[in-house]
PDB file of all heavy atoms in Angstrom:
ATOM      1  N   ALA V 270     270.100 106.188 191.107  1.00  0.00           N
ATOM      2  CA  ALA V 270     270.630 106.573 192.409  1.00  0.00           C
ATOM      3  C   ALA V 270     271.027 105.330 193.197  1.00  0.00           C
ATOM      4  O   ALA V 270     270.740 105.208 194.387  1.00  0.00           O
ATOM      5  CB  ALA V 270     269.594 107.384 193.170  1.00  0.00           C
ATOM      6  N   CYS V 331     258.825  92.615 185.448  1.00  0.00           N
ATOM      7  CA  CYS V 331     259.251  94.014 185.431  1.00  0.00           C
ATOM      8  C   CYS V 331     259.011  94.630 184.060  1.00  0.00           C
ATOM      9  O   CYS V 331     259.687  94.286 183.090  1.00  0.00           O
ATOM     10  CB  CYS V 331     260.727  94.107 185.804  1.00  0.00           C
ATOM     11  SG  CYS V 331     261.389  95.780 185.733  1.00  0.00           S
ATOM     12  N   LEU V 341     266.859 100.958 173.931  1.00  0.00           N
ATOM     13  CA  LEU V 341     268.092 100.351 173.407  1.00  0.00           C
ATOM     14  C   LEU V 341     267.979 100.125 171.898  1.00  0.00           C
ATOM     15  O   LEU V 341     268.905 100.458 171.140  1.00  0.00           O
ATOM     16  CB  LEU V 341     268.370  99.028 174.126  1.00  0.00           C
ATOM     17  CG  LEU V 341     269.593  98.226 173.692  1.00  0.00           C
ATOM     18  CD1 LEU V 341     270.137  97.411 174.864  1.00  0.00           C
ATOM     19  CD2 LEU V 341     269.293  97.277 172.538  1.00  0.00           C
ATOM     20  N   TRP V 458     259.831  85.387 177.266  1.00  0.00           N
ATOM     21  CA  TRP V 458     258.752  84.429 177.532  1.00  0.00           C
ATOM     22  C   TRP V 458     258.402  84.399 179.022  1.00  0.00           C
ATOM     23  O   TRP V 458     259.278  84.421 179.880  1.00  0.00           O
ATOM     24  CB  TRP V 458     259.151  83.033 177.093  1.00  0.00           C
ATOM     25  CG  TRP V 458     259.293  82.824 175.617  1.00  0.00           C
ATOM     26  CD1 TRP V 458     260.460  82.743 174.905  1.00  0.00           C
ATOM     27  CD2 TRP V 458     258.233  82.634 174.672  1.00  0.00           C
ATOM     28  NE1 TRP V 458     260.190  82.525 173.570  1.00  0.00           N
ATOM     29  CE2 TRP V 458     258.827  82.453 173.396  1.00  0.00           C
ATOM     30  CE3 TRP V 458     256.841  82.611 174.776  1.00  0.00           C
ATOM     31  CZ2 TRP V 458     258.073  82.246 172.244  1.00  0.00           C
ATOM     32  CZ3 TRP V 458     256.087  82.414 173.624  1.00  0.00           C
ATOM     33  CH2 TRP V 458     256.704  82.227 172.375  1.00  0.00           C
ATOM     34  N   TYR V 469     252.962  65.881 179.270  1.00  0.00           N
ATOM     35  CA  TYR V 469     252.901  65.063 178.047  1.00  0.00           C
ATOM     36  C   TYR V 469     254.284  64.917 177.403  1.00  0.00           C
ATOM     37  O   TYR V 469     254.405  64.388 176.302  1.00  0.00           O
ATOM     38  CB  TYR V 469     251.960  65.709 177.026  1.00  0.00           C
ATOM     39  CG  TYR V 469     250.538  65.856 177.505  1.00  0.00           C
ATOM     40  CD1 TYR V 469     250.159  66.960 178.264  1.00  0.00           C
ATOM     41  CD2 TYR V 469     249.571  64.907 177.194  1.00  0.00           C
ATOM     42  CE1 TYR V 469     248.849  67.121 178.707  1.00  0.00           C
ATOM     43  CE2 TYR V 469     248.255  65.059 177.627  1.00  0.00           C
ATOM     44  CZ  TYR V 469     247.907  66.167 178.391  1.00  0.00           C
ATOM     45  OH  TYR V 469     246.613  66.311 178.823  1.00  0.00           O
ATOM     46  N   ILE V 471     256.041  67.441 176.411  1.00  0.00           N
ATOM     47  CA  ILE V 471     256.107  68.472 175.375  1.00  0.00           C
ATOM     48  C   ILE V 471     256.537  69.791 176.008  1.00  0.00           C
ATOM     49  O   ILE V 471     256.011  70.199 177.045  1.00  0.00           O
ATOM     50  CB  ILE V 471     254.733  68.649 174.695  1.00  0.00           C
ATOM     51  CG1 ILE V 471     254.368  67.381 173.907  1.00  0.00           C
ATOM     52  CG2 ILE V 471     254.719  69.865 173.778  1.00  0.00           C
ATOM     53  CD1 ILE V 471     252.964  67.401 173.345  1.00  0.00           C
ATOM     54  N   PRO V 532     242.949  63.747 182.514  1.00  0.00           N
ATOM     55  CA  PRO V 532     241.861  64.376 183.284  1.00  0.00           C
ATOM     56  C   PRO V 532     242.424  65.466 184.183  1.00  0.00           C
ATOM     57  O   PRO V 532     243.601  65.448 184.560  1.00  0.00           O
ATOM     58  CB  PRO V 532     241.295  63.213 184.098  1.00  0.00           C
ATOM     59  CG  PRO V 532     242.416  62.223 184.198  1.00  0.00           C
ATOM     60  CD  PRO V 532     243.189  62.344 182.915  1.00  0.00           C
ATOM     61  N   LYS V 592     253.537  71.006 205.005  1.00  0.00           N
ATOM     62  CA  LYS V 592     252.537  71.643 204.148  1.00  0.00           C
ATOM     63  C   LYS V 592     251.222  71.901 204.891  1.00  0.00           C
ATOM     64  O   LYS V 592     250.790  71.111 205.722  1.00  0.00           O
ATOM     65  CB  LYS V 592     252.264  70.769 202.923  1.00  0.00           C
ATOM     66  CG  LYS V 592     253.498  70.596 202.031  1.00  0.00           C
ATOM     67  CD  LYS V 592     253.207  69.672 200.854  1.00  0.00           C
ATOM     68  CE  LYS V 592     254.443  69.536 199.967  1.00  0.00           C
ATOM     69  NZ  LYS V 592     254.200  68.620 198.824  1.00  0.00           N
ATOM     70  N   GLY V 598     241.837  70.814 199.559  1.00  0.00           N
ATOM     71  CA  GLY V 598     243.134  70.273 199.153  1.00  0.00           C
ATOM     72  C   GLY V 598     243.691  70.826 197.862  1.00  0.00           C
ATOM     73  O   GLY V 598     244.749  70.395 197.413  1.00  0.00           O
ATOM     74  N   LYS V 700     259.193 109.092 205.416  1.00  0.00           N
ATOM     75  CA  LYS V 700     259.728 108.190 204.395  1.00  0.00           C
ATOM     76  C   LYS V 700     259.578 106.726 204.815  1.00  0.00           C
ATOM     77  O   LYS V 700     259.831 106.365 205.970  1.00  0.00           O
ATOM     78  CB  LYS V 700     261.209 108.491 204.133  1.00  0.00           C
ATOM     79  CG  LYS V 700     261.811 107.697 202.962  1.00  0.00           C
ATOM     80  CD  LYS V 700     263.257 108.117 202.722  1.00  0.00           C
ATOM     81  CE  LYS V 700     263.859 107.393 201.535  1.00  0.00           C
ATOM     82  NZ  LYS V 700     263.211 107.738 200.259  1.00  0.00           N
ATOM     83  N   SER V 746     232.504 124.416 194.763  1.00  0.00           N
ATOM     84  CA  SER V 746     231.654 125.565 195.061  1.00  0.00           C
ATOM     85  C   SER V 746     230.182 125.180 194.930  1.00  0.00           C
ATOM     86  O   SER V 746     229.778 124.499 193.984  1.00  0.00           O
ATOM     87  CB  SER V 746     231.963 126.710 194.102  1.00  0.00           C
ATOM     88  OG  SER V 746     231.022 127.750 194.247  1.00  0.00           O
TER      89      SER V 746
END
Side-chain angles (χ1 to χ4, degrees):
C331 177
L341 178 151
W458 292 103
Y469 299 85
I471 293 173
K592 297 178 179 179
K700 187 177 182 65
S746 171

